[in-house]
Amino acid sequence: MLSQRQAPLVAALQQCGQRPNVAFYTPGHKRGQGISALHRAVLGGEVFRVDLPELPELDNLFAPAAVIAQAQSLAAEAFGAERTYFLANGSTCGIEAAILATCGPGDKLILPRNVHRSAISGLILSGAMPVFVSPVYDDGWQLAIGVTPTAIAAALTEHPDAKAVLIVSPTYQGICADVGAISAITHRYSLPLIVDEAHGPHFAFHADLPMPALQAGADVVIQSTHKVLSALTQASMLHVQGGRCDRNRLLQALQMVQSTSPSYLLLASLDAARHQMANHGSVLMARTLALAEQARQELNQLLPLRTLQQADLSEEFRLDLTRLTLDCSTLGITGFDADELLNEQFSVTAELPTLNLLTFIVSLGNTANDIEQLGDAVKELVQNLVDPLRTSLKSKIPSTSSGQATRYPLPTPHSSLPTFSPRQAFFTSSQACPLADATGQISAETVCAYPPGIPTLMPGEAITETAIAQLQMLQQAGATFTGNSDVSLKTLRVVQPHLPTFPPH
Amino acid sequence: MLSQRQAPLVAALQQCGQRPNVAFYTPGHKRGQGISALHRAVLGGEVFRVDLPELPELDNLFAPAAVIAQAQSLAAEAFGAERTYFLANGSTCGIEAAILATCGPGDKLILPRNVHRSAISGLILSGAMPVFVSPVYDDGWQLAIGVTPTAIAAALTEHPDAKAVLIVSPTYQGICADVGAISAITHRYSLPLIVDEAHGPHFAFHADLPMPALQAGADVVIQSTHKVLSALTQASMLHVQGGRCDRNRLLQALQMVQSTSPSYLLLASLDAARHQMANHGSVLMARTLALAEQARQELNQLLPLRTLQQADLSEEFRLDLTRLTLDCSTLGITGFDADELLNEQFSVTAELPTLNLLTFIVSLGNTANDIEQLGDAVKELVQNLVDPLRTSLKSKIPSTSSGQATRYPLPTPHSSLPTFSPRQAFFTSSQACPLADATGQISAETVCAYPPGIPTLMPGEAITETAIAQLQMLQQAGATFTGNSDVSLKTLRVVQPHLPTFPPH
C-alpha cells in the first residue's frame, strides 16, 4: 500500500543517480561526466547525475507500470482525481490532448472567447470548430472576469451537438467561475467539461481557497504544478475522473504532444511537489493566504490604490486570495510603468502587467520578508514616484488617466461558427491585407487587444466592418495588441481569397 | 559581433539567478525558497535559482529578439544552419513541426517505413498521407540499414505531387544514408528534405564522423542535442536552410507543439552544449572516436562476438564509429539477455537491446575508465557467463541460435497509399478484432516486429492476408512486437467497419 509519505519516483531517481554505473546510454553527458565548467556553473552539478533516460528502474511515462504509475496514483489521490497523468510539456500539451481526445475534425467545442493560446492550438490540431462564449467583462477593472453557467447553458441550447465544453478557471487574476453549476449543465448533455485550472493546483489544500474543479465535478482538469506549487517550470498534471472522456484516446493524444524522451527532472519534481503538498499543504496554504492577506491590507491603505477583492465580483465568481491585482490607473500610470518601476527601483517583480493592472502571484515560495519588501516598494511608488513619473511618462498613459476608466469596446459576441475552422485557416496560405480592404476577408490570425483581453478576431473568422471599427477604437484608446503579425495594425493577415483546395475540416 | 566564446543565454540566466530579487511571478517555488528538503536532495539547490520564467532579461522563445535570438544564432553558426530553433519538447516536437510546416491535410509525405513514432504523430496531427519507402534490410545483422537514393527517386517518380521527403539518418545504430544524393533528388522536385538526425548532433565537429545532413544539403534537420552532446534530456534543436520550408508556418507550428512556459534549464543547456562544441568540439570528438575505436578493437577480439563495422555496409551507407553494436546471436544469447547481464553483473548499461543486437552510445561524456569496464565486462560475458546462460535461458533464445541467422520475413513493400490517412484512423473509433477475422479491415494501430524493426501494419492501412501470415511467422520466430495494444497478438485494433462521418482528411 502506497502512502503519501512516499515519493516513489524521486526515490528511484535518487537511487539511480547514486548507483555506480557505466553509462553507454543517452543523455550524452553521461551522468555529468561530459559537461563543461560553464554548464556546471549555471545548473549545478547534482542535476546531471539524475538527468537519466527511461532506464528499467525508472518506468516509462507512456506505459507506466512501476514508479511513475505509483507517483501518478499518489498525485491522483492528493489532488482528488481518479487518474493523473504527469506532463513534461506544460499545461499547453494537456489542453491540446484534452481537445484531441474529445473533439475530432469538425466537432464543436464550446469555449470562452478569452481562452489561452494552447486551446487555439488544440483547435488547429484537432480540426474542431469553436463555439465561442463571451466572458463577463468588468468595465471598472477593465478585466474579463469569466464565463457564467447561463452563458454556457445558452451555447449548449444553441449547439446541443457540441462534443465538449472547455473553460478557464481561475483566470490569471485568480477569478474562478462557478465550475459546479457549469459542470452540472454540461453533464446534462452527457458532455465532458475540461477545465484549464493552470493557475489553481493549490486549491485542493485549503478550505479558504476556491473549490477545486475536480471537486466541483469537472471531467478533465489541467494544472500547472510549476506555476503555483514547487515543480520545475514546464511540469504540469492532467487529472481525469468519470467516463465522459475516452481515456484510451487521451493517452494516445498525450503521446503525440510530448517528447518521447521526457525529462526525469521535470517528472520527479512533480512527485516532489505532490509529496510536499500532501504532507504539508494545509499549513503551507494557510501561511500563503496569511501573507497575501497582509499584503492586500497594506496595499489597500495606500489610497487611491485599490486591489481586486472578492467584493468586486458578483456572487457567481470566487477570487483566489493568494493572487493580488493592483489597479494602477487610479495612480494615473499604466501597469507596464508600475511593473518597470517596481522591478528596476526595488527588485520587486510582478507576474503580469496590463495597461491598467498589475498582478502578483503569492505562493508557498514567498516569505514574510518578500511581503514586507512588496509593501515598502508599492508605498514608495504611490507616495514619491508616481507624480514625477506621471509627468515624464505622459505619452504612455491612456488619455483617460484622469481617474475615469476608459471604456474599451468589447468584441461583438460570436455565437455563430467561424467561416473556416482554425485548422483550415492554419493550413491555407495567407497574405497581408490593408485594414481598409479587410472587410469580408477571412482572418488568418488572432487579434487581441488588452484591455479588454478578449480577441476581436480569431483565425477562420470573417472580418466584419464592426470588428475593424472596434480595432481602430481600441488602438486610439491606447490598448496593446497581441497575435497580429503587423504591430502597427495597418494590415491584417488574411486567408488568401481563393478557396483552399483541401476539404473543409 | 557575437563570438562562439560567449554563451549569451547561460550568462543572462546566471545573472538573473544571482540578482537579489523578490519574486511574485511563476514558478511557485520562487527561486527555490519554497522547495522541500526532499526536492533539494534529488535535484540540488542551484537549479531552482535559475528555474525562471520569461523575464524581460531572458527573452522569449517564440518571439526571440535578445539572448535567445543570440544563442540560436550562435548555434546556427556552429552547426552549419541558416537558422536554428531551440526545442524544449525534444526532437519529437521538431519532427512534428517540420511535417506540419510542409504538409497539409491530404498532402503526400515520402518517408521510410521504419520511421520514429514522432513522424507518425506528425502524420496524425497534419493529416498528411504517408508514401512509405522500404529501407534496405540486412539479413545477417537483422537490421534495417536505411533508405537509398534510388528508393526515394522511385517514390518521387510515382508521387511527383508529394510535398516533402523525410528520412532518418543516422539510425539508432549510427548508420547514415546518402543524404547528399537524396537531397539532390528531392530538390529536383523543388521539395524540402527533412532529416531526423536525432542521433547525429556531433557530426559537424570532426571530419572522421559522417557528413552532417545540413552540409549534405538537407533543408530541415532535427537533432537531439541531449542524446549525444551535453544538453539536458528533452532539449533539442531544429535547423533550417534555404527557402523550401515556409519559415513563418514552421514558427507557428513550433509554437503549437511546445509549452508556452518553456524551461530555461533546458534552453540554457542547449546554449551551454553549443558553447562546449564550438570551442572544444574537435578535441572532444577526436577523443570520443579514439575511445570507441579502442572498445571496438577489444570487442572484436572476443570471438565469436562481432561488432558492426563500416565494412558490413554497402558503399551507400556510412557508419558513425562512436556507435557500437554487438551481434549477440553469435554467442547464442539475445540482446536482451546480454543487456540484463551486463547491467546487473557489471553495472555497464547499454542504450538499446533488440532480439539479437545490443547497441552502446559512446559520447563525449565517456571516460577511458568506462571503456575499460566495458571491455572487461563483455570479455567476462563471452568467456565465463554465456555458456551457463545459454542453458538456463534456453526458452528466451530464438530457435535458430545455432549460429545461422533466422530469416525474419520483411513486410511487403507499401508503395500504395493507405486506405485511411493516419489522422482518419486516429479520429475514427476502433475495436479489437480477432486476428483470423482481420483481413480486409483497416488497422487502427502500428504493429512493428523486432526484427526486422520495420512495421508490418500502420494506422489507416488495409490488413492483408500476407500481413497476417507475416505477423504469425514473426511471432513464431521469436520476434518482439511494439505498437499493438494486445501483446498476445490474438487480436488487432481495427477501425470500426462503418465509415466515419467526418471528411476524408
Side-chain angles (χ1 to χ4, degrees):
Chain A
M1 189 60 190
L2 286 171
S3 133
Q4 293 289 347
R5 310 295 294 178
Q6 293 173 276
L9 181 53
V10 167
L13 193 60
Q14 211 160 9
Q15 210 167 5
C16 281
Q18 282 159 4
R19 183 163 77 99
N21 179 260
V22 186
F24 291 101
Y25 46 76
T26 65
H29 63 65
K30 308 291 163 96
R31 304 154 62 90
Q33 292 184 158
I35 61 160
S36 62
L38 177 95
H39 213 159
R40 189 181 301 271
V42 66
L43 298 183
E46 282 135 307
V47 82
F48 292 97
R49 282 201 65 84
V50 290
D51 181 40
L52 292 168
E54 286 174 316
L55 297 172
E57 301 89 328
L58 296 177
D59 207 1
N60 183 309
L61 182 61
F62 300 118
V67 289
I68 291 181
Q70 290 166 8
Q72 289 187 154
S73 154
L74 287 167
E77 184 183 68
F79 289 90
E82 275 173 29
R83 179 90 170 77
T84 292
Y85 301 89
F86 285 1
L87 307 176
N89 188 26
S91 292
T92 300
C93 82
I95 306 273
E96 291 172 347
I99 296 175
L100 283 162
T102 52
C103 297
D107 286 345
K108 292 178 187 171
L109 173 68
I110 294 173
L111 73 175
R113 183 87 186 162
N114 60 330
V115 85
H116 185 256
R117 199 164 81 193
S118 56
I120 306 299
S121 297
L123 290 170
I124 293 173
L125 295 175
S126 68
M129 277 304 237
V131 173
F132 287 118
V133 171
S134 295
V136 170
Y137 185 76
D138 186 303
D139 269 327
W141 282 92
Q142 296 183 349
L143 191 62
I145 300 297
V147 288
T148 60
T150 316
I152 297 292
L156 280 164
T157 306
E158 198 178 342
H159 301 280
D161 56 341
K163 289 293 159 66
V165 173
L166 184 155
I167 64 169
V168 181
S169 175
T171 64
Y172 233 108
Q173 288 79 20
I175 303 167
C176 294
D178 185 347
V179 183
I182 292 172
S183 143
I185 292 160
T186 306
H187 293 167
R188 231 174 277 150
Y189 291 79
S190 303
L191 298 183
L193 175 65
I194 302 162
V195 180
D196 173 350
E197 198 176 40
H199 287 270
H202 53 311
F203 291 174
F205 303 95
H206 201 286
D208 290 348
L209 290 165
M211 182 185 285
L214 283 166
Q215 197 184 324
D219 301 271
V220 184
V221 175
I222 298 99
Q223 295 176 336
S224 293
T225 321
H226 64 94
K227 282 192 165 70
V228 188
L229 304 182
S230 66
L232 288 173
T233 300
Q234 203 176 308
S236 292
M237 294 188 197
L238 183 146
H239 307 289
V240 203
Q241 63 185 349
R244 291 185 195 87
C245 173
D246 179 338
R247 296 204 195 164
N248 182 46
R249 194 159 132 193
L250 179 64
L251 190 62
Q252 283 183 59
L254 283 169
Q255 294 190 37
M256 295 199 290
V257 292
Q258 291 183 85
S259 174
T260 55
S261 304
S263 164
Y264 272 92
L265 309 178
L266 301 182
L267 299 178
S269 88
L270 289 169
D271 194 30
R274 183 276 314 159
H275 177 266
Q276 179 181 40
M277 293 311 285
N279 290 291
H280 311 288
S282 75
V283 172
L284 290 168
M285 285 305 105
R287 205 183 124 274
T288 306
L289 280 161
L291 287 178
E293 181 54 27
Q294 184 193 331
R296 180 172 270 108
Q297 285 185 10
E298 280 179 35
L299 299 179
N300 280 337
Q301 284 167 8
L302 303 171
L303 296 173
L305 201 67
R306 58 172 189 161
T307 66
L308 186 65
Q309 315 240 34
Q310 179 64 52
D312 294 314
L313 305 175
S314 71
E315 274 187 8
E316 279 168 306
F317 297 99
R318 184 82 194 279
L319 185 65
D320 168 7
L321 294 170
T322 67
R323 211 47 71 103
L324 288 175
T325 296
L326 300 188
D327 185 353
C328 304
S329 73
T330 60
L331 305 177
I333 62 168
T334 68
F336 301 110
D337 292 335
D339 188 34
E340 203 176 307
L341 264 177
L342 289 175
N343 185 44
E344 287 179 7
Q345 310 267 335
F346 303 99
S347 292
V348 168
T349 313
E351 170 68 20
L352 182 75
T354 66
L355 196 62
N356 50 333
L357 306 181
L358 187 57
T359 299
F360 300 80
I361 298 179
V362 182
S363 77
L364 54 79
N366 285 114
T367 61
N369 183 48
D370 290 353
I371 299 300
E372 202 176 306
Q373 287 197 50
L374 171 64
D376 292 350
V378 177
K379 191 173 180 184
E380 185 77 4
L381 179 79
V382 173
Q383 295 179 343
N384 301 321
L385 287 166
V386 162
D387 271 345
L389 182 82
R390 219 177 340 220
T391 314
S392 75
L393 294 180
K394 200 179 276 170
S395 62
K396 288 196 202 168
I397 305 166
S399 49
T400 49
S401 58
S402 52
Q404 279 295 88
T406 317
R407 289 207 54 140
Y408 292 90
L410 288 179
T412 319
H414 291 249
S415 74
S416 64
L417 296 177
T419 309
F420 280 19
S421 71
R423 180 172 179 83
Q424 281 176 290
F426 174 81
F427 281 115
T428 309
S429 348
S430 64
Q431 60 188 21
C433 171
L435 198 65
D437 303 340
T439 307
Q441 306 274 359
I442 309 292
S443 179
E445 58 191 3
T446 301
V447 184
C448 182
Y450 286 86
I454 303 169
T456 306
L457 289 172
M458 285 280 197
E461 286 179 348
I463 303 171
T464 60
E465 266 185 58
T466 316
I468 292 179
Q470 282 179 346
L471 287 177
Q472 287 167 330
M473 283 162 67
L474 286 161
Q475 194 174 28
Q476 280 187 329
T480 55
F481 289 84
T482 64
N484 43 316
S485 44
D486 175 2
V487 288
S488 75
L489 261 190
K490 279 180 189 139
T491 63
L492 291 175
R493 197 103 203 143
V494 301
V495 168
Q496 286 203 341
H498 304 295
L499 280 176
T501 55
F502 63 85
H505 302 104
Chain B
M1 188 59 192
L2 286 171
S3 134
Q4 293 288 349
R5 312 293 297 177
Q6 293 173 279
L9 182 52
V10 167
L13 193 60
Q14 210 161 10
Q15 210 167 6
C16 280
Q18 283 159 1
R19 184 163 77 99
N21 178 260
V22 185
F24 291 102
Y25 46 76
T26 66
H29 63 65
K30 307 293 163 93
R31 302 152 65 88
Q33 290 183 159
I35 60 160
S36 62
L38 178 94
H39 213 159
R40 188 181 303 270
V42 66
L43 299 182
E46 281 137 305
V47 81
F48 293 97
R49 283 201 66 85
V50 289
D51 181 40
L52 293 168
E54 286 174 316
L55 297 172
E57 301 88 328
L58 295 177
D59 207 0
N60 184 309
L61 182 60
F62 300 118
V67 289
I68 291 181
Q70 290 166 9
Q72 291 188 152
S73 155
L74 287 167
E77 185 182 68
F79 289 89
E82 275 172 30
R83 180 90 171 77
T84 293
Y85 301 89
F86 285 1
L87 307 176
N89 187 27
S91 291
T92 300
C93 83
I95 305 274
E96 291 172 346
I99 296 175
L100 283 162
T102 52
C103 297
D107 286 345
K108 293 179 187 170
L109 173 67
I110 294 173
L111 74 174
R113 184 85 186 164
N114 60 331
V115 84
H116 185 256
R117 197 164 83 195
S118 56
I120 306 298
S121 298
L123 290 170
I124 293 173
L125 296 174
S126 68
M129 276 302 233
V131 173
F132 287 118
V133 172
S134 295
V136 170
Y137 184 75
D138 185 303
D139 268 327
W141 282 91
Q142 295 182 349
L143 191 63
I145 300 296
V147 288
T148 59
T150 316
I152 297 292
L156 281 165
T157 306
E158 198 178 342
H159 300 282
D161 55 341
K163 288 294 159 65
V165 173
L166 184 155
I167 63 169
V168 181
S169 175
T171 64
Y172 234 108
Q173 289 77 21
I175 304 169
C176 295
D178 186 347
V179 183
I182 292 172
S183 143
I185 292 159
T186 306
H187 293 166
R188 232 175 276 151
Y189 290 78
S190 303
L191 298 182
L193 175 65
I194 303 162
V195 180
D196 172 349
E197 199 177 37
H199 287 271
H202 53 311
F203 291 174
F205 303 96
H206 201 285
D208 290 347
L209 290 165
M211 181 185 284
L214 283 165
Q215 198 185 322
D219 301 272
V220 184
V221 176
I222 298 97
Q223 295 174 338
S224 292
T225 321
H226 64 94
K227 281 192 166 71
V228 188
L229 304 182
S230 65
L232 288 172
T233 300
Q234 204 177 308
S236 292
M237 295 189 196
L238 183 147
H239 307 289
V240 202
Q241 62 185 350
R244 289 186 196 88
C245 173
D246 179 339
R247 297 206 194 164
N248 183 45
R249 196 161 130 193
L250 179 64
L251 189 62
Q252 283 183 61
L254 283 169
Q255 293 190 39
M256 294 198 291
V257 291
Q258 291 183 87
S259 172
T260 55
S261 304
S263 163
Y264 272 93
L265 308 178
L266 300 182
L267 300 177
S269 88
L270 289 169
D271 195 29
R274 183 277 313 160
H275 177 267
Q276 179 181 38
M277 293 311 286
N279 292 291
H280 310 289
S282 76
V283 172
L284 289 168
M285 285 305 106
R287 203 182 127 277
T288 305
L289 280 161
L291 288 177
E293 181 54 26
Q294 184 194 329
R296 181 172 269 108
Q297 284 184 10
E298 280 179 34
L299 299 179
N300 279 338
Q301 283 166 10
L302 303 171
L303 295 174
L305 201 66
R306 58 173 190 161
T307 66
L308 186 65
Q309 315 242 33
Q310 178 64 54
D312 294 314
L313 306 174
S314 70
E315 273 188 7
E316 278 168 306
F317 296 100
R318 183 83 194 279
L319 185 66
D320 168 7
L321 295 170
T322 66
R323 210 49 70 103
L324 288 174
T325 295
L326 300 189
D327 185 353
C328 303
S329 73
T330 60
L331 305 176
I333 62 167
T334 68
F336 300 112
D337 292 335
D339 188 35
E340 205 175 305
L341 265 179
L342 289 175
N343 185 43
E344 287 180 6
Q345 309 269 333
F346 303 98
S347 292
V348 168
T349 312
E351 170 67 20
L352 182 75
T354 67
L355 196 62
N356 51 332
L357 306 181
L358 187 57
T359 300
F360 298 82
I361 299 179
V362 182
S363 78
L364 53 78
N366 286 112
T367 62
N369 183 49
D370 291 353
I371 298 300
E372 201 176 307
Q373 288 197 51
L374 171 64
D376 292 351
V378 178
K379 192 172 179 184
E380 185 76 5
L381 179 78
V382 173
Q383 295 180 344
N384 302 321
L385 287 167
V386 162
D387 273 343
L389 183 81
R390 221 179 335 223
T391 313
S392 75
L393 292 180
K394 202 179 273 169
S395 63
K396 286 197 201 168
I397 306 166
S399 49
T400 49
S401 59
S402 52
Q404 278 297 86
T406 317
R407 289 207 54 137
Y408 291 91
L410 288 178
T412 318
H414 291 250
S415 73
S416 63
L417 296 176
T419 310
F420 279 19
S421 71
R423 179 172 181 83
Q424 280 175 290
F426 174 81
F427 281 114
T428 308
S429 344
S430 63
Q431 59 188 23
C433 172
L435 199 64
D437 304 340
T439 308
Q441 306 274 359
I442 309 293
S443 178
E445 58 191 2
T446 301
V447 185
C448 182
Y450 288 86
I454 304 169
T456 306
L457 290 172
M458 285 280 198
E461 286 179 348
I463 302 172
T464 60
E465 267 185 57
T466 316
I468 292 180
Q470 283 180 346
L471 287 177
Q472 287 167 330
M473 283 161 67
L474 286 161
Q475 195 174 28
Q476 280 188 328
T480 55
F481 290 84
T482 64
N484 42 318
S485 45
D486 175 2
V487 288
S488 75
L489 262 190
K490 281 181 189 138
T491 63
L492 290 175
R493 197 104 202 139
V494 300
V495 168
Q496 287 205 338
H498 305 295
L499 281 175
T501 55
F502 63 85
H505 303 101

